[in-house]
Amino acid sequence: MAAKRKRGALAAGKAKRARSAPSAGEAVPEGGPRERSVPPQEYSIPPPVSQGKWKNKERVLIFSSRGINFRTRHLMQDLRTLMPHSKADTKMDRKDQLFVINEVCEMKNCNKCIFFEAKKKQDLYMWLSNTPQGPSAKFLVQNIHTLAELKMTGNCLRGSRPLLSFDPIFDREPHYALLKELFIQIFSTPQYHPKSQPFVDHVFTFTITDERIWFRNYQIIEEDASLVEIGPRFVLNLIKIFQGSFGGPTLYENPHYQSPNMHRRLIRLSVAAKFREKQQVKEVQKIKKKGTKVLVEEDPTEVVFETPAEEKPVEIQLVKPESKPIVKDKKKLRKIQRKKQKKLFRTEG
């Protein structure tokens, strides 16, 4: 029979073991057997401040209206793959007002939004908004090139966090400073996001040229720190900045913006002007042809080198010449001559 254990025996044994282990603050006697095993406390590394917690909970809703083409659809899908903190939704009907997007973002638990609006099946507009308070900006998207279309040599890890590079002009103008903060909050992936990777291997660049914002995506090569373009690429032409989300008072309006309708109208007018110019040139040429020709006076020096021809005596022919038969075919002419010769021979015989 095994001996019965007392109830407090196990707890007492653990307590004895805990007492026997020296604490970090207690002094160990010199020459003791445990003097070498205690690590020094001077070089201890403090824990990280964030402790791996996902604090910046930015979520971006990326969707579009109905009527977009295939290029816009691929661009929207490329942005979703590059931004792991994004969410998708079904296409919005054209009849719905834009302020309905705030309710959609609230249902999807998103505080930022990228909305693509298509008009006339050829013009594409992009809305960047901070829902539901604002501000929001409206852009005209031009020169779109997607990832599948470019076929660049660069590549990056899916879900990695990007670096954001801005042109120095963003810090000079107030409206560009507002757009810079909006771009930072939308395109930067939050740290320790569940779907992101703890690597930084590509750069989003925002450059201002010709009163437009040019977006490019580059890979960082570790060997020589050079950049290789990945894609996609597009150009944003700023239209307006609103105080609210998808509406409200206008904070800034771009004076250099020209609508696509006006651009197409100017092209048609230039073509019509060229056509009118050609017609006018043709009419002037017709008038010149119909006009009276100017007679040039005779030059008296032209007769200097002319030599008079020799005078021939005039011969008067009293007998009428025999009419020769006009025969085009030579064989018929020979037959007629033979018949005449035969008649002559008969008469002589």
Side-chain angles (χ1 to χ4, degrees):
M1 293 294 291
K4 293 183 179 180
R5 296 180 179 177
K6 295 181 181 181
R7 292 181 179 178
L10 185 60
K14 288 183 178 180
K16 289 179 182 179
R17 290 178 185 175
R19 288 174 187 173
S20 62
S23 61
E26 293 179 0
V28 181
E30 296 180 359
R34 299 181 182 178
E35 184 177 2
R36 299 177 182 176
S37 62
V38 177
Q41 297 295 327
E42 297 177 358
Y43 304 102
S44 61
I45 301 172
V49 178
S50 61
Q51 297 178 358
K53 292 181 181 179
W54 178 31
K55 292 184 178 180
N56 180 20
K57 296 190 177 183
E58 297 282 354
R59 301 180 184 89
V60 183
L61 180 65
I62 303 176
F63 72 118
S64 67
S65 64
R66 297 192 180 276
I68 61 172
N69 54 9
F70 70 98
R71 196 184 297 273
T72 308
R73 186 172 66 252
H74 284 287
L75 175 63
M76 190 168 56
Q77 191 62 35
D78 293 343
L79 291 178
R80 287 173 183 169
T81 55
L82 291 173
M83 301 165 63
H85 61 293
S86 64
K87 289 187 177 182
D89 195 21
T90 57
K91 295 179 181 179
M92 196 180 75
D93 196 1
R94 294 180 184 178
K95 297 179 181 179
D96 296 338
Q97 299 295 328
L98 290 177
F99 62 84
V100 181
I101 301 174
N102 296 325
E103 299 177 3
V104 178
C105 293
E106 187 178 356
M107 289 188 292
K108 288 286 184 178
N109 196 17
C110 297
N111 52 1
K112 299 289 185 297
C113 180
I114 299 178
F115 178 67
F116 292 95
E117 185 181 6
K119 290 185 178 179
K120 294 187 176 181
K121 296 184 180 180
Q122 55 184 344
D123 302 330
L124 179 65
Y125 298 92
M126 178 193 286
W127 286 83
L128 300 180
S129 175
N130 179 24
T131 57
Q133 291 85 11
S136 60
K138 185 179 181 181
F139 301 91
L140 174 67
V141 188
Q142 299 172 331
N143 300 337
I144 301 173
H145 299 281
T146 59
L147 279 170
E149 180 184 359
L150 289 175
K151 295 181 181 179
M152 294 291 185
T153 56
N155 195 5
C156 65
L157 182 65
R158 185 186 180 95
S160 60
R161 301 178 66 232
L163 293 175
L164 299 184
S165 174
F166 291 93
D167 196 279
I169 306 177
F170 277 96
D171 299 328
R172 300 173 189 170
E173 302 291 338
H175 60 281
Y176 283 137
L178 178 61
L179 291 178
K180 178 181 177 180
E181 185 63 29
L182 195 62
F183 288 146
I184 290 173
Q185 295 183 13
I186 290 178
F187 288 96
S188 61
T189 303
Q191 194 175 11
Y192 300 113
H193 191 275
K195 294 183 180 180
S196 66
Q197 300 291 338
F199 302 103
V200 178
D201 58 353
H202 61 289
V203 185
F204 289 163
T205 62
F206 298 90
T207 311
I208 298 175
T209 306
D210 194 18
E211 304 296 336
R212 291 171 176 82
I213 301 172
W214 302 66
F215 175 85
R216 295 290 184 271
N217 182 20
Y218 296 97
Q219 177 195 0
I220 304 173
I221 299 177
E222 297 181 0
E223 287 77 5
D224 52 353
S226 61
L227 299 178
V228 178
E229 188 173 357
I230 303 173
R233 56 165 69 167
F234 52 88
V235 180
L236 298 177
N237 191 359
L238 178 62
I239 303 174
K240 285 184 181 181
I241 300 176
F242 300 95
Q243 185 177 356
S245 177
F246 296 98
T250 303
L251 298 179
Y252 176 77
E253 185 175 359
N254 187 9
H256 305 284
Y257 171 72
Q258 188 181 55
S259 65
N261 294 332
M262 181 62 67
H263 181 67
R264 287 190 287 266
R265 181 172 176 271
L266 292 176
I267 291 174
R268 289 195 298 269
L269 289 176
S270 64
V271 173
K274 288 181 181 178
F275 180 75
R276 284 196 217 97
E277 187 178 355
K278 288 182 180 178
Q279 293 295 328
Q280 290 175 1
V281 170
K282 288 181 180 179
E283 290 177 0
V284 170
Q285 289 177 354
K286 287 181 181 178
I287 292 170
K288 286 183 179 179
K289 288 180 180 178
K290 289 180 180 179
T292 56
K293 296 181 180 180
V294 180
L295 297 175
V296 182
E297 297 180 357
E298 294 183 358
D299 190 5
T301 59
E302 288 182 357
V303 198
V304 174
F305 299 98
E306 288 185 359
T307 55
E310 295 179 358
E311 294 182 0
K312 293 182 180 180
V314 181
E315 294 182 357
I316 299 171
Q317 190 174 1
L318 301 174
V319 183
K320 181 182 177 181
E322 294 181 359
S323 62
K324 296 181 180 179
I326 301 170
V327 182
K328 295 182 180 179
D329 194 357
K330 293 182 179 180
K331 291 183 179 179
K332 289 184 178 180
L333 181 61
R334 289 174 185 174
K335 287 181 180 179
I336 293 169
Q337 289 177 355
R338 286 174 186 173
K339 286 181 180 180
K340 286 182 179 180
Q341 289 176 359
K342 286 180 181 179
K343 287 180 181 180
L344 289 172
F345 285 131
R346 285 176 186 172
T347 54
E348 289 177 355

